[in-house]
Amino acid sequence: MVRRMGLDRETLLIAAAELADESGLDNLTLSALAQKLGVRSPSLYNHVNGLPDLRSALAAYCIQHLVDLMRDAVIGKSGEEAILSLSTSYLTFARQRPGLYEAFYKIEASDSPETAKLGEQLLSIFIRVLEPYGLGEQNTLHTIRGLRSLLHGFASLEQNNGFQMKLDFDESLHFVMRAFLKGLESGA
């Protein structure tokens, strides 16, 4: 095995995310990661403290990408346009990075201060796009839970081939999102 020079935490996380995308988060092992990086497994411990730490770091890496994508998706938009754009970027991410996305919902945000901080940034994006609806703090948080559940449900069902009907997935999503938004507009 040829030792790879210049291994750092970022390189390790990129390779781990690629492995997770290829074969699923549950199949990500330190041995497989070391092989992909061309190093011996003990070398990974210079950058992570075992598999739980790697998965926690991967969750933070994922949330950072989601924050960046969603922030970019809503810049200059408000109301329905912002929520639809945020939703589309969320699902596009889940489609393009299935293993990395899996790290997002399988790791507790409280596992690390970094993950918790990034989770707060993600939450603030949702809060900002919902501000025009004037829902109040508690109802905004309930709405965010509902919206995240809706988006995660679509992402999860699509990834697991749960949509068997011959209907276009994106058309279904937009139909459901418009119904969700009508509910917000009516003050539900």
Side-chain angles (χ1 to χ4, degrees):
M1 182 179 295
V2 177
R3 182 173 173 89
R4 182 171 175 164
M5 300 302 293
L7 181 62
D8 58 20
R9 190 170 171 95
E10 180 76 11
T11 302
L12 184 137
L13 288 173
I14 290 168
E18 290 171 357
L19 279 174
D21 287 338
E22 292 165 8
S23 57
L25 184 67
D26 290 339
N27 294 316
L28 174 62
T29 65
L30 292 177
S31 175
L33 181 57
Q35 184 176 2
K36 180 174 180 72
L37 291 168
V39 298
R40 295 185 315 132
S41 294
S43 300
L44 300 178
Y45 286 90
N46 293 322
H47 307 285
V48 292
N49 294 320
L51 191 57
D53 184 45
L54 173 63
R55 289 187 176 179
S56 182
L58 208 51
Y61 183 74
C62 172
I63 296 169
Q64 181 63 64
H65 282 326
L66 271 171
V67 165
D68 294 342
L69 284 170
M70 292 170 69
R71 187 178 290 137
D72 289 348
V74 301
I75 288 176
K77 298 175 180 130
S78 65
E80 181 177 321
E81 181 185 22
I83 293 172
L84 289 174
S85 185
L86 176 141
S87 300
T88 300
S89 68
Y90 183 101
L91 287 171
T92 298
F93 178 81
R95 286 175 180 162
Q96 292 174 349
R97 304 302 309 268
L100 187 56
Y101 175 71
E102 197 176 354
F104 171 56
Y105 66 85
K106 284 195 172 179
I107 305 297
E108 280 190 40
S110 60
D111 278 356
S112 77
E114 180 186 16
T115 305
K117 180 182 171 188
L118 290 165
E120 288 295 321
Q121 290 177 21
L122 189 61
L123 178 64
S124 74
I125 294 170
F126 278 94
I127 290 170
R128 281 195 303 268
V129 300
L130 290 169
E131 280 177 356
Y133 293 92
L135 301 170
E137 183 179 346
Q138 188 172 7
N139 285 341
T140 295
L141 295 177
H142 289 310
T143 300
I144 291 168
R145 278 187 175 170
L147 180 56
R148 283 195 55 218
S149 297
L150 190 152
L151 294 173
H152 176 68
F154 265 84
S156 180
L157 285 166
E158 184 181 28
Q159 286 177 353
N160 293 293
N161 298 313
F163 291 120
Q164 297 296 314
M165 294 180 211
K166 300 293 183 209
L167 290 171
D168 182 77
F169 175 82
D170 290 326
E171 284 181 34
S172 294
L173 173 66
H174 286 110
F175 177 84
V176 171
M177 287 305 303
R178 284 190 194 93
F180 180 85
L181 290 166
K182 281 182 185 175
L184 287 180
E185 291 165 2
S186 70

